């Protein structure tokens, strides 16, 4: 006997072709009912027997669109509604939004074929999308995900697009981003003096390619923000981009036309290949091969790795197909500022950087940089979580009765917002010391509060009182009458890994290792080389890297030679006097005599070793010394590592002894590459030693230092031998991007 059943599906189910899929499945098995989006996900009604309804639900769960993610479902009997057919009903929002926000998806293969086919109506249409691909989060104004709640509401579908939208057999059936040349987004190619060169899509793209090939710099408005592009094989064009963007050494990313072109220049692992061709289309860090078509030294000075990506949108796909060669593709901004997305603002701020601009008239509500990742022994490490990943929820159990806003830290800032049963972790913003980054950060908080119709009742901040995130958190708490909770920086890092791996309910004790550059400790010293224990919802500091002097505030993080100065004993310090002026030497020597501020920072240890090995004394970008030290270590082809702490008993890892031992070995003629690799081996060995001494079988690591591929690879190798389970951040970056999430996890799960 037929009944009416109500099926509720939760998860990433809006903007992924879920309703068309359900509709076609229902028609196929001859069911009557309806499907629609609401503020919680997707609601389905069907009239059938219980057996047929259960079969219908099982087919939904097993055969749903690949880009959908179902987190929960239920089915209940309900009173009869009387259906004549099966239909997709316009979405209605009756209560507060409570579903994951759908991230942007890279162009799918079907759309790629269409834009390259002269027989197809979307031939050379630069904003081609379907239910399986295209911008989502970037163009969202509100939810549920309907065209009326996106920037595309400004573009009324033509009759042909409407036919596709209403045809159940069409791939664009209920595609909210559907458009074409007739009714869709328009391109415009202009000079940096705003002279219009072309408004025809094909001509604009082909002319833009000619400009790049002739050595010019092009600013392209992609569907997530502007990119600055130049010929990747032209060192002079790349140098011009560096000078104009004020980015003297920091590596650029390179976009290739297709994966075959990538394979010609790099040896990709299966994991790297899969990531490059995924719906995220991130930048993937690849090791350089001996033969390459690009100017690798100009693109990534002093490094033997390159950030590589494939086109993420129809616009970039068309441009790269025309280009047929790799291009530098870096964020459209002045170095340190957020990525630009508004035409007039980009034209003004980038007028002295780009020679030409390729604009379009689709508004971008959430501008995002490209996500960046790398692999260590097939294990993914996220370096920047942004387009394609954010603000997709973290699949973790959120237990809160109040709306929570976690502010994160200042470098590599993010926010985490919990206005409902979901957890939202924003895209990467950057350094909040930059005024424009801070404004973007504030704007996003306002957008979230408005979209979710919820003001935070609790605001979580870092203990460092002068962080912009902390200052703003207190200001917002006053404005919204919220409570504020301060959470120590490194404990938040540790909590982020425990939260990702759902370890808070574990009965075993867990060792936490948090290594980064800086963070204010509970004793008001600068932490950064911490060992914690977790058990029974309690975190305690176990030990740390032996304190050494912290001098001249932020200058120490920018000049590795200062960290070296602080760590050397008198016997070796004079050997490096040439790195300082007489005045500097005198001032720093006097400061050491009365200094009380100490640090345990492993980030500064990396700096000191990089300076000791004469790799670099001053950073031109954040973590340059660490990256170049890793590069140096990567050149060591042997396996005869030196454990500088072998046989040495210690309660705290002896930082001074370690650095001075490396200097001594350098004087004795040990090659730099072996010393760099041995330094990382020694650090990895110290983790395993402490874990074994204290009988830990699970070690959770976080902090920017664990972005280092060589360190993490050595750590996994050593851990595997001793049966120790290493947990790293996987859904988030190990760096400060995970702090806002870690603050949330700490609040929800830690007693102390």
């Amino acid at each position: 006997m037929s009944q009416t059943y109500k099926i509720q599906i939760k998860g990433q189910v809006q903007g992924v072709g879920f309703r068309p899929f359900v509709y076609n499945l229902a028609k196929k098995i001859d069911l009557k009912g309806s499907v629609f989006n609401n503020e919680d996900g997707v609601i389905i009604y069907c009239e059938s027997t219980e057996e047929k309804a259960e079969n219908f639900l099982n087919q939904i769960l097993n055969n749903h669109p690949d880009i959908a993610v179902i987190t929960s479902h239920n089915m209940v009997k309900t009173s009869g509604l009387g259906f004549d057919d099966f239909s997709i009903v316009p979405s209605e929002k009756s209560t507060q939004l409570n579903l994951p926000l759908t991230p942007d998806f890279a162009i799918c293969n079907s759309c790629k074929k269409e834009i390259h086919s002269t027989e197809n109506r979307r031939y050379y249409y630069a904003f081609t999308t379907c239910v399986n691909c295209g911008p989502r989060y970037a163009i969202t104004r509100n939810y549920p995900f309907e065209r009326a709640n996106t920037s595309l509401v400004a573009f009324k579908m033509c009759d042909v697009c409407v036919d596709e939208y209403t045809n159940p057999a069409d791939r664009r059936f209920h595609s909210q981003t559907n458009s074409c040349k007739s009714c869709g987004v328009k391109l415009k190619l202009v000079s940096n003096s705003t002279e219009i060169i072309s408004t025809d899509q094909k001509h604009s793209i082909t002319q833009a390619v000619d400009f790049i090939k002739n050595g010019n710099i092009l600013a392209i408005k992609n569907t997530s923000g502007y990119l600055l592009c130049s010929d990747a094989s032209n060192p002079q064009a790349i140098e011009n981009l560096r000078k104009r963007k004020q980015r003297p050494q920091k590596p650029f990313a390179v976009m290739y036309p297709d994966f075959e072109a990538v394979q010609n220049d790099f040896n990709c692992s299966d994991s790297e290949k899969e990531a490059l061709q995924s719906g995220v289309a991130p930048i993937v860090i690849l090791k350089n091969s001996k033969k390459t078509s690009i100017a690798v030294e100009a693109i990534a000075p002093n490094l033997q790795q390159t950030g590589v990506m494939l086109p993420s949108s129809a616009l970039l796909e068309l441009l790269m197909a025309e280009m047929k060669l790799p291009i530098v593709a870096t964020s459209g901004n002045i170095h340190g500022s957020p990525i630009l997305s508004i035409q007039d603002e980009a034209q003004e701020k980038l007028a002295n950087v780009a020679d030409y601009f390729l604009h379009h008239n689709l508004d971008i509500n959430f501008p995002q940089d490209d996500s960046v990742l790398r692999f260590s022994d097939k294990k993914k490490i996220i370096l920047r979580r942004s387009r394609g990943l954010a603000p997709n929820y973290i699949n973790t159990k959120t237990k809160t009765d109040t709306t929570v806003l976690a502010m994160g830290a200042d470098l590599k800032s993010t926010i985490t917002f919990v206005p409902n049963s979901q957890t939202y972790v924003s895209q990467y913003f950057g350094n909040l010391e930059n005024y424009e980054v801070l404004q973007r950060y504030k704007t996003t908080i306002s957008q979230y509060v408005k979209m979710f119709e919820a003001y935070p009742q609790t605001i979580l901040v870092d203990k460092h009182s002068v962080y912009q995130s902390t200052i703003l958190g207190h200001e917002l708490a006053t404005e919204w009458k919220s409570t504020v909770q301060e959470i120590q920086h490194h404990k938040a890092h540790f909590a982020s890994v425990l939260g990702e791996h759902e370890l808070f309910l574990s009965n075993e004790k867990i060792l936490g290792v948090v290594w980064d550059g800086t963070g204010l400790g509970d004793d008001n010293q600068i932490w950064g080389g911490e060992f914690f224990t977790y058990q029974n919802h309690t975190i305690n500091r176990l030990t740390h890297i032996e304190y050494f002097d912290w001098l001249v505030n932020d200058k120490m993080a920018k000049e590795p030679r200062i960290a070296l100065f602080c760590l050397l004993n008198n016997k070796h310090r004079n050997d490096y006097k040439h790195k300082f002026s007489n005045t500097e030497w005198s001032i720093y020597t006097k400061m050491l005599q009365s200094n009380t501020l100490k640090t345990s920072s492993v980030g500064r240890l990396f700096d000191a070793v990089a300076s000791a090995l004469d790799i670099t004394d001053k950073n031109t970008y954040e973590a340059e010394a660490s990256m170049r030290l890793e590069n140096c270590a990567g050149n060591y082809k042997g396996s005869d590592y030196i454990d500088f702490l072998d046989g040495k008993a210690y309660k705290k890892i002896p930082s001074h002894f370690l650095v001075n031992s490396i200097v001594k070995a350098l004087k004795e003629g040990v090659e730099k590459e072996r010393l760099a690799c041995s330094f990382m081996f020694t650090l990895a060995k110290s983790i395993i030693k402490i874990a074994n001494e204290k009988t830990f079988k699970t070690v959770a690591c976080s902090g920017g230092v664990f972005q280092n591929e060589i360190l993490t690879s050595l750590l996994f190798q050593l851990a595997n031998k001793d049966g120790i389970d290493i947990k790293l951040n996987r859904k988030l970056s190990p760096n400060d991007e995970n702090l806002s999430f870690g603050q949330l996890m700490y609040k929800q799960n830690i007693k102390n």
Side-chain angles (χ1 to χ4, degrees):
M1 180 178 175
S2 291
Q3 297 274 347
T4 300
Y5 291 89
K6 178 184 178 182
I7 299 171
Q8 183 169 27
I9 308 288
K10 293 186 177 182
Q12 184 178 293
V13 291
Q14 293 192 17
V16 296
F18 205 90
R19 289 178 300 171
F21 156 72
V22 170
Y23 173 92
N24 282 313
L25 178 60
K27 297 293 281 186
K28 180 180 178 182
I29 60 177
D30 196 27
L31 279 181
K32 295 178 181 179
S34 66
V35 58
F36 59 92
N37 289 338
N38 75 350
E39 61 278 357
D40 289 321
V42 170
I43 302 295
I44 305 163
Y45 286 102
C46 67
E47 288 184 349
S48 72
T49 62
E50 183 175 3
E51 181 182 0
K52 195 170 183 181
E54 288 178 349
N55 177 58
F56 180 45
L57 175 58
N58 286 332
Q59 289 197 54
I60 291 172
L61 298 177
N62 294 325
N63 302 307
H64 61 73
D66 289 341
I67 55 178
V69 179
I70 296 175
T71 57
S72 67
H73 64 274
N74 64 53
M75 184 175 77
V76 295
K77 286 182 183 179
T78 188
S79 55
L81 300 178
F83 297 99
D84 296 325
D85 202 347
F86 199 93
S87 63
I88 295 178
V89 178
S91 302
E92 293 183 2
K93 178 175 176 289
S94 58
T95 60
Q96 185 192 39
L97 184 65
N98 187 20
L99 69 139
L101 302 185
T102 309
D104 300 331
F105 299 112
I107 182 172
C108 68
N109 289 329
S110 296
C111 284
K112 282 182 187 179
K113 290 176 183 177
E114 289 179 340
I115 62 177
H116 292 308
S117 171
T118 56
E119 306 300 317
N120 195 281
R121 64 183 293 261
R122 285 188 173 77
Y123 172 64
Y124 239 93
Y125 176 51
F127 301 91
T128 297
T129 65
C130 69
V131 292
N132 300 314
C133 69
R136 300 292 193 266
Y137 176 57
I139 60 170
T140 293
R141 291 176 176 169
N142 211 332
Y143 269 76
F145 190 80
E146 299 284 356
R147 193 183 188 91
N149 290 330
T150 72
S151 304
L152 275 160
V153 69
F155 301 87
K156 184 179 179 181
M157 282 188 284
C158 65
D159 291 344
V160 183
C161 282
V162 170
D163 287 344
E164 293 172 333
Y165 183 85
T166 55
N167 179 5
D170 197 283
R171 197 172 84 257
R172 293 185 173 85
F173 180 45
H174 274 263
S175 172
Q176 304 305 319
T177 58
N178 196 27
S179 65
C180 70
K181 290 179 184 177
S182 300
C183 62
V185 185
K186 307 300 180 188
L187 272 181
K188 178 171 64 174
L189 181 64
V190 304
S191 69
N192 57 8
S193 61
T194 70
E195 174 192 358
I196 296 176
I197 296 168
S198 178
T199 57
D200 175 78
Q201 286 215 0
K202 186 170 184 179
H203 181 254
S204 293
I205 292 171
T206 56
Q207 184 62 61
V209 167
D210 286 342
F211 286 145
I212 294 174
K213 287 183 174 180
N214 288 327
N216 293 288
I217 296 167
L218 179 72
I220 303 173
K221 186 180 181 183
N222 194 26
T223 49
S224 54
Y226 280 87
L227 293 172
L228 287 166
C229 303
S230 68
D231 184 346
S233 64
N234 185 336
Q236 186 56 58
I238 298 166
E239 182 60 26
N240 290 341
L241 178 55
R242 288 199 175 280
K243 288 179 180 177
R244 296 182 195 179
K245 199 182 174 186
Q246 302 167 26
R247 184 169 165 162
Q249 295 283 324
K250 190 174 182 180
F252 287 132
V254 179
M255 184 181 297
Y256 278 74
D258 49 46
F259 183 70
E260 288 68 29
V262 174
Q263 284 185 305
N264 290 335
D265 281 2
F266 299 92
N267 297 318
C268 292
S269 68
D270 290 342
S271 299
E272 290 164 343
K273 176 182 178 180
E274 182 181 354
L276 281 166
Q277 297 181 306
S278 72
V280 176
I283 297 168
V284 180
I285 308 299
L286 302 178
K287 292 179 181 176
N288 295 346
S289 60
K290 291 183 179 179
K291 66 166 190 172
T292 180
S293 63
I294 60 176
V296 289
E297 184 57 30
I299 290 164
N302 305 304
L303 299 175
Q304 294 187 342
Q305 54 195 27
T306 305
V308 173
M309 63 193 301
L310 295 175
S312 60
S313 65
L315 172 58
L316 295 178
E317 172 69 22
L318 289 168
L319 181 101
M320 294 308 296
E322 196 74 40
M323 184 79 190
K324 296 183 176 64
L325 297 168
I327 63 170
V328 167
T330 186
S331 299
N333 57 5
I334 299 298
H335 186 51
S337 297
I339 187 171
L340 297 167
S341 63
I342 300 170
Q343 177 177 318
D344 291 345
E345 188 178 12
Q347 191 82 41
E348 175 191 351
K349 293 185 176 181
L350 299 179
N352 295 322
V353 180
D355 299 298
Y356 299 95
F357 291 79
L358 193 56
H359 298 300
H360 64 71
N361 61 338
L362 175 65
D363 288 342
I364 297 170
N365 298 314
F366 289 100
Q368 305 156 81
D369 292 283
D370 294 305
S371 292
V372 185
L373 54 88
R374 72 187 310 182
F375 288 87
S376 176
D377 289 345
K378 299 181 181 179
K379 297 177 178 66
K380 181 174 68 175
I381 302 174
I382 297 174
L383 306 184
R384 183 170 71 198
R385 180 180 173 278
S386 202
R387 180 192 53 74
L389 296 174
N392 205 7
Y393 66 105
I394 301 298
N395 189 14
T396 190
K397 297 176 179 64
T398 301
K399 49 179 183 181
T400 180
D401 296 326
T402 62
T403 300
V404 179
L405 172 64
M407 304 294 286
D410 270 17
L411 287 175
K412 297 178 170 59
S413 56
T414 61
I415 60 169
T416 293
F417 194 42
V418 187
N420 48 45
S421 63
Q422 309 292 334
T423 300
Y424 306 91
V425 183
S426 75
Q427 69 273 28
Y428 152 92
F429 294 108
N431 185 352
L432 296 183
E433 292 296 325
N434 180 296
Y435 174 79
E436 291 171 327
V437 174
L438 181 60
Q439 296 312 302
R440 177 73 54 79
Y441 176 83
K442 288 180 178 179
T443 298
T444 304
I445 291 173
S446 298
Q447 288 173 300
Y448 277 27
V449 167
K450 181 180 178 181
M451 187 161 56
F452 293 103
E453 302 172 302
Y455 286 98
Q457 295 160 286
T458 302
I459 296 179
L460 310 177
V461 299
D462 193 277
K463 288 190 73 169
H464 204 307
S465 62
V466 299
Y467 277 178
Q468 291 298 320
S469 55
T470 302
I471 293 169
L472 179 60
H474 282 283
E475 290 174 354
L476 293 176
T478 300
E479 179 184 345
W480 294 332
K481 296 181 173 56
S482 313
T483 59
V484 177
Q485 181 177 345
E486 294 181 347
I487 295 171
Q488 199 278 325
H489 188 99
H490 300 90
K491 292 176 183 176
H493 267 307
F494 184 23
S496 77
V497 191
L498 294 173
E500 277 197 39
H501 293 277
E502 299 185 352
L503 293 172
F504 287 111
L505 297 179
S506 172
N507 292 321
E508 68 170 315
K509 62 178 184 177
I510 297 169
L511 178 65
V513 183
V514 181
W515 288 353
D516 64 1
T518 63
L520 183 65
D522 288 336
D523 58 0
N524 289 318
Q525 302 295 352
I526 306 299
W527 290 5
E530 311 311 307
F531 290 81
F532 297 104
T533 61
Y534 170 79
Q535 195 168 25
N536 298 327
H537 301 282
T538 301
I539 289 176
N540 290 305
R541 192 185 192 203
L542 176 67
T543 187
H544 55 87
I545 300 290
E546 174 191 56
Y547 280 143
F548 54 96
D549 286 284
W550 181 279
L551 298 184
V552 290
N553 299 320
D554 290 344
K555 189 175 183 182
M556 186 163 172
K558 296 174 182 176
E559 299 190 16
R561 62 184 185 141
I562 298 175
L564 177 63
F565 179 88
C566 292
L567 279 155
L568 290 175
N569 58 32
N570 291 331
K571 179 181 177 181
H572 291 133
R573 188 175 293 138
N574 283 330
D575 294 332
Y576 292 93
K577 191 172 182 179
H578 62 278
K579 293 179 181 286
F580 304 87
S581 68
N582 290 335
T583 301
E584 288 173 330
W585 187 263
S586 175
I587 291 172
Y588 295 157
T589 301
K590 288 179 181 177
M591 290 178 71
L592 275 185
Q593 295 169 2
S594 58
N595 182 59
T596 58
L597 187 60
K598 308 293 183 179
T599 185
S600 56
S601 170
V602 176
R604 299 295 76 80
L605 267 186
F606 270 76
D607 286 353
V609 174
S611 181
L613 300 182
D614 287 325
I615 292 170
T616 186
D617 291 327
K618 295 183 179 181
N619 288 331
T620 63
Y621 58 89
E622 187 196 356
E624 178 180 2
S626 296
M627 291 172 65
R628 291 180 61 180
L629 184 65
E630 180 185 354
N631 188 73
C632 177
N635 289 328
Y636 181 58
K637 304 308 177 187
S639 58
D640 186 18
Y641 310 123
I642 304 168
D643 179 2
F644 291 105
L645 301 180
D646 185 33
K648 188 173 180 63
Y650 53 83
K651 292 184 178 179
K652 298 179 179 68
I653 296 175
S655 54
H656 296 83
F657 178 85
L658 175 56
V659 172
N660 283 279
S661 296
I662 291 171
V663 169
K664 180 175 180 290
L666 180 66
K667 284 182 175 182
E668 293 171 350
V670 180
E671 59 183 308
K672 290 182 181 181
E673 292 79 7
R674 185 184 176 201
L675 289 175
C677 206
S678 295
F679 165 64
M680 296 171 200
F681 176 79
T682 301
L683 289 177
K685 191 85 171 177
S686 72
I687 294 174
I688 301 303
K689 179 180 178 180
I690 289 173
N692 283 327
E693 285 180 352
K694 304 295 183 180
T695 65
F696 288 96
K697 283 301 178 184
T698 300
V699 180
C701 302
S702 188
V705 169
F706 290 103
Q707 293 179 153
N708 185 301
E709 181 192 0
I710 293 174
L711 174 66
T712 55
S713 179
L714 289 169
L715 179 58
F716 275 105
Q717 290 173 29
L718 292 169
N720 287 340
K721 290 179 182 178
D722 287 10
I724 294 172
D725 187 12
I726 301 293
K727 303 291 188 183
L728 294 180
N729 293 103
R730 294 297 183 208
K731 298 173 183 176
L732 299 171
S733 172
N735 66 35
D736 280 9
E737 287 182 38
N738 72 44
L739 278 171
S740 62
F741 177 72
Q743 289 166 348
L744 173 71
M745 291 295 99
Y746 186 97
K747 180 195 182 302
Q748 292 178 349
N749 297 283
I750 303 301
K751 296 175 184 176
N752 56 326

